[in-house]
Amino acid sequence: MSIELRVTTTLMRLALKRRLNANYCPIDGRRRLTSHRLTRPPVDFGDSVLEPRGDTGAAHTIVYVPGGGFMLGADDRHRRFVDVLCRRTGSRGWILHYPLAPENPYPAARDDTVHALRQVLSAPDTGAVTLVADSAGAALALSATLALDTPRGFDSLVLLSPLTDLATTGLSYVYNRYRDPLCGPEAVIHKVHHYLRGANPTDPIASPLWGDLHGLPPLQIFVGSTEIMLDDSVRLAEKARAAGCDVELRVVAKAPHTFPLLVPWCAESRRAVDAMTAFITEKGNHR
């Protein structure tokens, strides 16, 4: 564990964990925590809002589905992260801005993600496509991928600390409750409550872990060893491998939730981005 990561996780535990686990108003939290201003004009894909990033003339495409507990959405951290991936892989990028809970409860965000991905995949100049997502965005990305009926799918799928089981049945919600520097079970339960609004959390449309994972593209997963959502990644990897998927699971010691996105200055995050770059480039070249 690098000294940068050690200091960062200590500060997270002291300054952020209690706030993120509180029963705060999602709308007020969104105003305080994020910036939703689009820095480049969005492209109209029907009802979906896709913000362009990177080299718009590149042959390879990265589509990013941001997390934020279904109710915060993309901010400048996501933009910087996508810009780095686009630059490193020579890609154009799209950040999906889906309808947020609680104003737009389940399945609005998932349905919008399906619609947006279909539009991107059917565009004549899309070329090779990598789907990248973090946290709650991974639930949307995976569920949407499994719903796609287009014959031209993704070359690869990269997930950061994916939330895959909204029923929170993984044992890591218990044994990592106090070890996770950023989130406790309360943080996930709070966000899932505002998103599902009483819907079944084991419905595969909401929780892809409970679905049929056959046909997924090559999959790369990053997660911290002390995350409460560790089992969301481990069980997804196990089930996807059993379904015949090519899976690369990277469990990073004591790294916080979505660490390549939240703490990009750490050595662990730099190594993760290196691994993502190699994975995206290799799978895109195999088209």
Side-chain angles (χ1 to χ4, degrees), residues 237-260:
E238 292 172 347
K239 188 170 181 179
R241 286 194 187 106
C245 179
D246 174 11
V247 181
E248 178 185 319
L249 172 64
R250 292 177 176 249
V251 180
V252 179
K254 299 184 179 180
H257 187 61
T258 67
F259 64 96

Side-chain angles (χ1 to χ4, degrees), residues 197-263:
R197 302 289 289 273
N200 182 0
T202 63
D203 188 328
I205 295 175
S207 297
L209 181 66
W210 297 88
D212 180 358
L213 301 184
H214 287 87
L216 281 178
L219 177 61
Q220 187 182 49
I221 306 170
F222 296 85
V223 67
S225 65
T226 54
E227 288 194 54
I228 56 168
M229 285 188 273
L230 172 63
D231 280 356
D232 285 58
S233 292
V234 173
R235 295 161 76 198
L236 173 70
E238 292 172 347
K239 188 170 181 179
R241 286 194 187 106
C245 179
D246 174 11
V247 181
E248 178 185 319
L249 172 64
R250 292 177 176 249
V251 180
V252 179
K254 299 184 179 180
H257 187 61
T258 67
F259 64 96
L261 173 71
L262 293 187
V263 288

Side-chain angles (χ1 to χ4, degrees), residues 2 38 51 57 71 73 116 119 131 198 219 222 236 254 287:
S2 68
L38 299 182
E51 179 183 353
M71 56 194 194
Q119 295 302 311
L131 183 59
L219 177 61
F222 296 85
L236 173 70
K254 299 184 179 180
R287 171 175 279 272

Side-chain angles (χ1 to χ4, degrees), residues 11-49:
L11 292 175
M12 282 180 171
R13 191 182 303 277
L14 293 173
L16 292 177
K17 189 168 184 177
R18 180 177 295 181
R19 284 170 51 196
L20 292 178
N21 291 341
N23 184 23
Y24 58 86
C25 171
I27 299 173
D28 289 343
R30 187 187 309 150
R31 294 194 188 105
R32 291 196 310 269
L33 296 174
T34 64
S35 168
H36 291 276
R37 181 176 60 86
L38 299 182
T39 55
R40 290 167 64 182
V43 172
D44 181 13
F45 274 145
D47 295 329
S48 303
V49 177

Side-chain angles (χ1 to χ4, degrees), residues 89-101:
T89 60
S91 304
R92 73 175 74 184
W94 299 106
I95 299 176
L96 175 59
H97 295 264
Y98 49 81
L100 300 175

Side-chain angles (χ1 to χ4, degrees), residues 41-260:
V43 172
D44 181 13
F45 274 145
D47 295 329
S48 303
V49 177
L50 287 157
E51 179 183 353
R53 310 297 300 182
D55 180 2
T56 57
H60 185 268
T61 300
I62 291 174
V63 181
Y64 196 96
V65 184
F70 306 106
M71 56 194 194
L72 296 180
D75 60 22
D76 287 339
R77 291 170 299 186
H78 297 94
R79 295 183 179 101
R80 287 191 292 268
F81 184 71
V82 172
D83 288 348
V84 168
L85 283 184
C86 287
R87 184 174 66 252
R88 293 281 298 271
T89 60
S91 304
R92 73 175 74 184
W94 299 106
I95 299 176
L96 175 59
H97 295 264
Y98 49 81
L100 300 175
E103 302 95 320
N104 303 281
Y106 169 84
R110 184 266 188 183
D111 291 349
D112 193 74
T113 303
V114 172
H115 174 73
L117 296 184
R118 280 183 175 148
Q119 295 302 311
V120 171
L121 289 171
S122 64
D125 59 345
T126 295
V129 183
T130 293
L131 183 59
V132 184
D134 72 89
S135 193
L140 302 175
L142 281 167
S143 177
T145 299
L146 295 171
L148 292 173
D149 52 9
T150 175
R152 200 175 99 204
F154 301 102
D155 292 88
S156 57
L157 182 56
V158 177
L159 305 178
L160 314 182
S161 302
L163 174 62
T164 65
D165 177 18
L166 275 62
T168 64
T169 61
L171 287 178
S172 57
Y173 283 93
V174 177
Y175 65 74
N176 276 344
R177 177 188 184 106
Y178 300 109
R179 301 173 70 210
D180 191 315
L182 194 59
C183 301
E186 301 89 346
V188 178
I189 293 168
H190 170 256
K191 294 167 179 61
V192 167
H193 166 75
H194 285 286
Y195 173 58
L196 289 183
R197 302 289 289 273
N200 182 0
T202 63
D203 188 328
I205 295 175
S207 297
L209 181 66
W210 297 88
D212 180 358
L213 301 184
H214 287 87
L216 281 178
L219 177 61
Q220 187 182 49
I221 306 170
F222 296 85
V223 67
S225 65
T226 54
E227 288 194 54
I228 56 168
M229 285 188 273
L230 172 63
D231 280 356
D232 285 58
S233 292
V234 173
R235 295 161 76 198
L236 173 70
E238 292 172 347
K239 188 170 181 179
R241 286 194 187 106
C245 179
D246 174 11
V247 181
E248 178 185 319
L249 172 64
R250 292 177 176 249
V251 180
V252 179
K254 299 184 179 180
H257 187 61
T258 67
F259 64 96

